[in-house]
Amino acid sequence: EMISDGSLLLDVTGEEVGQINGLAVYDLGDFSFGRPTRITAQTFAGREGFINIEREAAMSGRTHDKGVMILSGYLGAKFGHDRPLTLSASIAFEQSYDGVDGDSASSTEIYAIASSLSGLPIRQDIAVTGSVNQMGEIQPIGGVNQKVEGMFDVCRSAAGLTGDQGVVIPHQNVKNLMLREDVVEAIREEKFHIYAVKTIDEGLEILTGKSAGEADASGAFPEGTVNYLVAKRLGELNDSMRGYFQGVFANGS
């Protein structure tokens, strides 16, 4: 109801840059349910690296903090093999006031950062869950049924099922699916979709509609791909910071 009346900001249609729908499970003791949560990322020139706003506000648990560190390791290895990642990136779970734990949103956070860096919008009609390792491989999570059903219920009540909405889950969790009959029927009629992915690149292609891009022997990505645009922007940020500090030192500061 809060999502439907606009009290909780969440889009289940359209596309946005640096904004994605993650999935969380709320446990009330004898009852648990899943709901989408907006996650945003902002990237800009600086040397702070990855700023986990939940951690800075003392609202995140150790597992969530570990997930953000793994995220940093993955992006550093993929795009920082010949230069440091000179950037600042802030990540936040919007309108979250009870604290966050678990690493099941770590892949979601990477997608939001990649969108912010590349300038490519992400589909808002798809919610994402899945943890990630430093190699970019998607890992299984808990509560997959509640998370899928939570996104389904929000889509149905907030905007109505459009036929394009769905959820991205780790491929290992397919065997754990035991969904309500109304969700199964909607999937059977192609009114709702479940995408099972193995890697970050697979998820990027679903969410952006663009090829992720495979690096060649020199580490360069094909022009126009998601990874090319991310690497290009990181290069621009690196150059801007180098130019900034050269100017500072040249002025004797």
Side-chain angles (χ1 to χ4, degrees), residues 69-141:
M69 293 177 195
I70 288 174
L71 174 161
S72 174
Y74 165 73
L75 291 172
K78 186 155 191 168
F79 300 104
H81 57 278
D82 60 352
R83 65 187 173 211
L85 294 187
T86 309
L87 85 157
S88 295
S90 62
I91 309 162
F93 282 66
E94 303 293 353
Q95 294 182 281
S96 173
Y97 308 109
D98 299 321
V100 175
D101 201 5
D103 63 352
S104 64
S106 53
S107 67
T108 317
E109 292 164 336
I110 289 179
Y111 298 138
I113 289 173
S115 170
S116 179
L117 287 168
S118 67
L120 294 172
I122 282 180
R123 290 177 59 178
Q124 301 298 295
D125 54 5
I126 295 178
V128 181
T129 185
S131 72
V132 67
N133 62 26
Q134 292 192 100
M135 308 303 292
E137 298 170 321
I138 303 298
Q139 301 173 143
I141 46 81

Side-chain angles (χ1 to χ4, degrees), residues 20 74-75 78-79 107-116 118 120-123 128 138 168 197 199-213 225-228 230:
I20 190 168
Y74 165 73
L75 291 172
K78 186 155 191 168
F79 300 104
S107 67
T108 317
E109 292 164 336
I110 289 179
Y111 298 138
I113 289 173
S115 170
S116 179
S118 67
L120 294 172
I122 282 180
R123 290 177 59 178
V128 181
I138 303 298
V168 171
V197 299
T199 65
I200 286 293
D201 283 350
E202 286 183 17
L204 282 174
E205 293 181 350
I206 292 169
L207 293 165
T208 66
K210 305 283 187 182
S211 173
T225 61
V226 180
N227 288 325
Y228 170 85
V230 171

Side-chain angles (χ1 to χ4, degrees), residues 10-183:
L10 193 82
D11 296 325
V12 292
T13 59
E15 297 178 327
E16 296 289 341
V17 174
Q19 177 178 299
I20 190 168
N21 291 329
L23 289 163
V25 173
Y26 287 74
D27 193 341
L28 305 180
D30 58 347
F31 178 71
S32 64
F33 64 96
R35 80 163 177 90
T37 300
R38 177 179 289 181
I39 298 173
T40 59
Q42 295 280 18
T43 54
F44 42 93
R47 290 186 168 182
E48 287 83 1
F50 296 90
I51 304 165
N52 175 7
I53 290 178
E54 264 67 36
R55 180 181 181 181
E56 298 301 315
M59 293 178 64
S60 68
R62 291 180 296 176
T63 308
H64 180 256
D65 294 341
K66 178 184 177 182
V68 174
M69 293 177 195
I70 288 174
L71 174 161
S72 174
Y74 165 73
L75 291 172
K78 186 155 191 168
F79 300 104
H81 57 278
D82 60 352
R83 65 187 173 211
L85 294 187
T86 309
L87 85 157
S88 295
S90 62
I91 309 162
F93 282 66
E94 303 293 353
Q95 294 182 281
S96 173
Y97 308 109
D98 299 321
V100 175
D101 201 5
D103 63 352
S104 64
S106 53
S107 67
T108 317
E109 292 164 336
I110 289 179
Y111 298 138
I113 289 173
S115 170
S116 179
L117 287 168
S118 67
L120 294 172
I122 282 180
R123 290 177 59 178
Q124 301 298 295
D125 54 5
I126 295 178
V128 181
T129 185
S131 72
V132 67
N133 62 26
Q134 292 192 100
M135 308 303 292
E137 298 170 321
I138 303 298
Q139 301 173 143
I141 46 81
V144 66
N145 292 295
Q146 292 98 321
K147 290 176 178 179
V148 172
E149 291 170 355
M151 179 60 174
F152 176 83
D153 290 338
V154 166
C155 289
R156 185 171 57 179
S157 63
L161 296 178
T162 64
D164 297 318
Q165 296 146 332
V167 174
V168 171
I169 67 171
H171 72 98
Q172 303 97 323
N173 284 118
V174 171
K175 65 179 179 293
N176 305 125
L177 291 173
M178 294 181 61
L179 300 167
R180 296 190 324 242
E181 185 55 38
D182 57 338
V183 183

